[in-house]
Amino acid sequence: MEVLLLGHPKSKTSRKAQRFFSDRRVPVHDRDLRKRAASPRELNRWIQRFGVDGVLDTSATTYDEQGLRYLSADPDEWVDRFAADPLLLRLPLVRYGEMLAVGDDPDRWQEIADASQEE
């Protein structure tokens, strides 16, 4: 089983995560969300664990451009928005089995790297 890294090449934290796992020789399946969007089922994993606020990137320019600061929506509506515009997500989204990480989280990445190398 490989570590799944959902991100995009222009994201600094996505590139940082790629380097992190590469330096530790952890096999990673890297998926560019601009080319292949995450499925609603996939996104729900992170939303259930971290909540919408945990996966939403409030510093993203699209967040302000779309006026989402003032939007009150249920998690299902957010899933649809995230699938349509992955730049709203705090990237990267990292998964290994049931282990998840959102954004720039080297401590959690290390836990995932350790778990992946034990198998």
Side-chain angles (χ1 to χ4, degrees):
M1 180 168 36
E2 286 185 326
V3 173
L4 175 64
L5 191 142
L6 304 174
H8 65 82
K10 290 187 178 182
S11 165
K12 288 180 184 178
T13 53
S14 292
R15 291 192 313 265
K16 181 179 177 181
Q18 289 169 337
R19 280 191 310 275
F20 181 91
F21 289 109
S22 176
D23 290 349
R24 286 153 184 80
R25 296 193 173 116
V26 175
V28 173
H29 177 77
D30 185 23
R31 195 161 91 204
D32 184 350
L33 290 174
R34 294 178 309 162
K35 293 181 181 174
R36 184 170 161 226
S39 71
R41 183 172 176 231
E42 265 180 328
L43 292 170
N44 273 323
R45 288 182 182 164
W46 280 276
I47 290 173
Q48 287 173 356
R49 176 83 50 89
F50 300 102
V52 170
D53 293 336
V55 297
L56 178 64
D57 185 1
T58 56
S59 66
T61 55
T62 56
Y63 178 76
D64 287 328
E65 288 172 356
Q66 295 178 17
L68 300 178
R69 183 176 315 273
Y70 307 104
L71 178 68
S72 175
D74 67 3
D76 291 333
E77 291 176 62
W78 280 110
V79 167
D80 294 337
R81 285 186 180 275
F82 292 146
D85 189 357
L87 296 179
L88 291 171
L89 292 164
R90 278 183 50 216
L91 297 176
L93 301 177
V94 181
R95 178 173 57 88
Y96 181 75
E98 295 297 316
M99 300 176 80
L100 303 174
V102 173
D104 189 2
D105 191 354
D107 294 333
R108 187 67 174 153
W109 296 345
Q110 186 62 53
E111 292 174 20
I112 291 171
D114 293 344
S116 71
Q117 291 176 338
E118 289 175 4
E119 289 189 12

